[in-house]
Amino acid sequence: MTTPAPAPNAAAQPPLASASLYVGDLDPNITEPQLFETFSVVGPVASIRVCRDAMTRRSLGYAYVNFHNVVDAERALDTLNYTTIKGKACRIMWKHRDPSIRKSGAGNIFIKNLDKSVDTRTLHDTFSQFGNILSCKVSMDDQANSRGFGFVQFETAEEANEAIAKVNGIMLLEKKLFVGPFIPRNERDSVTGERRFTNCYVKNFPEDVADDKFEAEFKKYGEVTSCKIMRKEDGTSRGFGFVNFKEADHAKAACEAINASKTFGGDKEVYCGRAEKESERKEKLKKKYDAIRMERLKNNQLVNLYIKNLDDTIDDEKLRTTFETF
């Protein structure tokens, strides 16, 4: 019996996943119908799913758009990437069922010292000449202002290395770019076992500490580029300040010597450590409050019961009496 020949181009047919797109950086209030309006102009859409928190049902800021064929998906990626949807520029990339492709960090580069006018589309156009870009993003704050750095992930490490070699150190809009391999923060800190910094935050010192005495104490550990005690309108100290060193090693030495000491006298031990950026403090607070909210939601789920099919004669008091025995 002769085996039937395969249909022409059957092996070349793309899997269903190849017609699926990841759409990120979405407004938290975006809905599936709104995304359908945007993507259906490109071609027939099979399905759209906005990903939501399992507990709160709040949008996670990204969605998956599935087309019936890969040609329409490619067209959407080419024509709709970085377009504005509800006031935010969306970021589109192919959906990968295997998360290791994304999490491995292979081909991922970090760019800093970007001009504030450089957006994600400009960054993409700058690096697209070096290979196929899987993902590209300029980091933005809550007011949609650039933080001056971004990320580009290429399909291969070779493409990323070529981009680093050719773009690192060049001028873009009169600013010299730094381009290097992306290293996750946990790995970046563990390379030397510590995080390097030059700006120190100091608190819990007496209010009568003078500016010159404050600065002189830190100059013992290295060259100080700036030093400031924060004061109220009437000139009295607010009990905290900042010291910026020229060298990270000097900042580290100062923190190790002054932290938890009574260098300036007084009853309290002085705190001296790395000065966190406002965005870092906000992120920590957000994570803290989110954790508290999720814990409350979990606790409510554990203690709340849903009862149905109650007889019409059952009132609140009878229901309470029944369950009080437990």
Side-chain angles (χ1 to χ4, degrees), residues 47 71 127 168 189 315:
S47 65
V71 174
F127 285 90
N168 185 39
D189 296 345
D315 57 15

Side-chain angles (χ1 to χ4, degrees), residues 127-239:
F127 285 90
S128 59
Q129 60 183 301
F130 302 107
N132 185 29
I133 292 177
L134 301 179
S135 177
C136 178
K137 181 176 182 177
V138 171
S139 181
M140 300 287 187
D141 62 19
D142 295 336
Q143 285 73 45
N145 298 315
S146 169
R147 290 192 172 105
F149 63 89
F151 310 90
V152 176
Q153 184 166 16
F154 289 94
E155 195 168 33
T156 67
E158 290 75 19
E159 293 169 343
N161 291 335
E162 183 182 2
I164 293 171
K166 293 185 177 180
V167 182
N168 185 39
I170 71 167
M171 302 295 292
L172 179 63
L173 297 177
E174 300 182 356
K175 300 197 75 171
K176 187 176 181 180
L177 297 184
F178 168 84
V179 184
F182 169 71
I183 304 174
R185 175 170 292 179
N186 59 333
E187 295 180 19
R188 184 167 67 242
D189 296 345
S190 64
V191 170
T192 59
E194 60 186 19
R195 186 169 186 178
R196 294 176 66 78
F197 59 93
T198 58
N199 200 10
C200 304
Y201 170 64
V202 191
K203 67 176 181 178
N204 295 339
F205 52 85
E207 293 183 0
D208 60 357
V209 174
D211 294 79
D212 55 351
K213 180 183 178 183
F214 186 72
E215 183 172 358
E217 187 61 39
F218 284 94
K219 281 185 173 179
K220 296 177 182 178
Y221 304 98
E223 183 178 346
V224 172
T225 59
S226 65
C227 183
K228 185 176 182 63
I229 294 177
M230 305 307 292
R231 298 187 179 279
K232 303 174 186 176
E233 292 183 0
D234 60 4
T236 57
S237 171
R238 297 174 65 182

Side-chain angles (χ1 to χ4, degrees), residues 257-278:
I258 295 175
N259 187 50
S261 72
K262 294 185 179 181
T263 300
F264 301 101
D267 299 326
K268 295 182 179 179
E269 291 185 347
V270 174
Y271 170 84
C272 182
R274 182 178 69 88
E276 295 179 335
K277 296 179 180 179
E278 184 180 3

Side-chain angles (χ1 to χ4, degrees), residues 45 54 62 69 79 95 98 168 173 181 184 193 207-208 228 232 237 254 304 314 316 325:
V45 175
Y62 65 93
N69 64 75
T79 61
K95 174 186 176 182
D98 183 2
N168 185 39
L173 297 177
E207 293 183 0
D208 60 357
K228 185 176 182 63
K232 303 174 186 176
S237 171
N304 288 344
I314 302 296
D316 292 345
T325 59

Side-chain angles (χ1 to χ4, degrees), residues 287-301:
K287 288 181 179 180
K288 178 182 177 181
Y289 293 137
D290 285 347
I292 293 173
R293 186 177 68 252
M294 294 301 294
E295 187 63 28
R296 287 175 178 171
L297 285 170
K298 289 179 181 178
N299 290 337
N300 287 339
Q301 283 194 338

